Amino acid sequence: MTWFDESRLDDEIALGAADLRLRTLAESGARVRREAGDAAAATATAPESRPRAVIAAGPDSRLLRAVLEPFCPVPFVAWPGPALPGWAGSLDLVVVLAPVGSDSGAASAVAEAVRRGCQVVVACPPGSMVAEHAEGRYTTLLPTTTDDQLATAVVMLSFLHRLGLGPEAHADTVAEALDAVAIACSPHRDISINPAKMLAIALADANPLVWGGSVLAARAARRVAESIRRSSGRTALAGDAEHLLPVIEAARPRDVFDDPFADDGGERRPVLVVLDDGADDPLVREQRGRLQAAAAERGVRVELVTAEAGGEVARYASLLLTGTYAAEYLRLGLVD
């Protein structure tokens, strides 16, 4: 039977065994700075004119859509498959994130874009399979050296901002936000003052329901839920309010006379994890209110993760890294 030993979260030996994964998280800010610096130093030929439309192709296209769609002055399409829409042609700009340069789907997308004569911007490792397929007269290559999806996205977003196709996404601001999370969630910080360790403890005996109100917070919620599933092998759901409400409402109401130490037959109650990036949209407030009201009615615990960094991408990065740290601490505390 698997159980959660919270003492492992402050145990030097247990933390040492997880050092590689935790160190990788701690270096997130450094990777953003390194990738941004390498891309800025590269000589790149920018598209000569404003495109008719921007197509974000490949498996990571949805993150670009979440950031760019509200700001892009031309039609924007996210196309996660390996092919392109039939209308894409020489008047359009195709952007591709390929932090893993051996991604066959991304290679197929850029090869088709080059064949059709599209303007192409691809962020990938130089010399990789994707880079080779992207070679063409109208291609801009943004060189990357890690497989960090967020760092690669920041490189692309910064370049598109210079073209007037998206909002500012300062690499330094994103990196500073990631550094702040790494300090707050460091394995060397005690449970009592470590937000990721406290969140991991809250998730230990629960089925997490992760919700973010804004488009980017919702994207972070899906990524955090994926991390929890990978680290624990347990159910973790992320979705819109209407998807999570039925799960909360189906929870057995908590009885104030229940023995808190009793075994409920291994049943894990839901816990609502709210990722708050400061979005003040009326719809976001209304959905959050409905979720919290339903949770209060059924006795479902609510955990709040906040981000106060400057800039939407920096807040997204902060929420994502905090949730990923929590998932790693959940992995660390689970023992057979």
Side-chain angles (χ1 to χ4, degrees):
M1 178 179 177
T2 301
W3 59 289
F4 188 81
D5 181 2
E6 68 178 65
S7 68
R8 288 173 56 83
L9 304 189
D10 282 337
D11 181 84
E12 291 186 6
I13 296 177
L15 289 168
D19 179 71
L20 179 59
R21 293 192 298 272
L22 293 171
R23 187 181 298 274
T24 299
L25 296 182
E27 294 172 348
S28 297
R31 286 194 296 273
V32 169
R33 289 189 181 90
R34 183 166 61 249
E35 297 289 29
D38 291 346
T43 301
T45 303
E48 296 177 356
S49 59
R50 174 169 290 184
R52 174 182 62 178
V54 176
I55 305 161
D60 290 326
S61 60
R62 292 187 177 91
L63 173 57
L64 295 179
R65 178 178 64 184
V67 179
L68 293 172
E69 200 168 40
F71 298 93
C72 190
V74 299
F76 182 93
V77 177
W79 205 263
L84 297 179
W87 50 263
S90 60
L91 298 178
D92 305 306
L93 172 64
V94 175
V95 298
V96 178
L97 298 181
V100 179
S102 58
D103 187 327
S104 59
S108 176
V110 296
E112 184 175 352
V114 170
R115 180 179 60 82
R116 294 194 194 184
C118 300
Q119 302 172 58
V120 179
V121 180
V122 57
C124 67
S128 64
M129 179 176 69
V130 173
E132 292 174 357
H133 282 74
E135 291 180 358
R137 179 179 178 184
Y138 303 109
T139 296
T140 297
L141 177 65
L142 303 177
T144 63
T145 56
T146 75
D147 60 0
D148 189 316
Q149 187 249 23
L150 177 60
T152 305
V154 171
V155 167
M156 178 66 76
L157 290 168
S158 298
F159 182 78
L160 294 176
H161 170 67
R162 293 199 297 272
L163 300 183
L165 296 174
E168 285 187 308
H170 291 300
D172 285 342
T173 302
V174 176
E176 288 169 4
L178 292 169
D179 289 345
V181 172
I183 293 170
C185 300
S186 166
H188 305 295
R189 294 196 76 185
D190 183 80
I191 287 176
S192 62
I193 56 173
N194 190 315
K197 290 182 180 181
M198 289 190 287
L199 180 57
I201 293 171
L203 302 178
D205 60 350
N207 286 326
L209 307 176
V210 193
W211 178 81
S214 71
V215 174
L216 275 175
R219 173 74 183 173
R222 289 191 290 272
R223 295 290 305 280
V224 169
E226 290 170 7
S227 295
I228 294 171
R229 289 194 295 268
R230 284 196 301 268
S231 65
S232 67
R234 295 179 174 181
T235 300
L237 299 177
D240 297 333
E242 58 266 27
H243 299 141
L244 301 183
L245 274 170
V247 182
I248 296 174
E249 292 168 348
R252 177 179 60 84
R254 186 178 292 280
D255 191 327
V256 294
F257 298 106
D258 283 347
D259 181 353
F261 302 102
D263 184 359
D264 293 329
E267 175 190 3
R268 287 194 291 269
R269 291 178 58 80
V271 57
L272 176 63
V273 180
V274 174
L275 303 187
D276 181 8
D277 63 353
D280 196 32
D281 183 88
L283 179 60
V284 171
R285 292 199 303 269
E286 186 269 337
Q287 290 180 339
R288 178 171 172 173
R290 288 168 59 202
L291 286 167
Q292 292 179 322
E297 181 181 351
R298 309 303 284 187
V300 170
R301 189 168 64 248
V302 178
E303 296 292 330
L304 180 64
V305 180
T306 60
E308 299 178 354
E312 289 186 330
V313 179
R315 290 192 291 273
Y316 163 83
S318 177
L319 293 174
L320 176 59
L321 188 59
T322 301
T324 308
Y325 261 110
E328 286 300 328
Y329 287 130
L330 179 61
R331 184 205 301 267
L332 180 64
L334 291 173
V335 293
D336 296 325

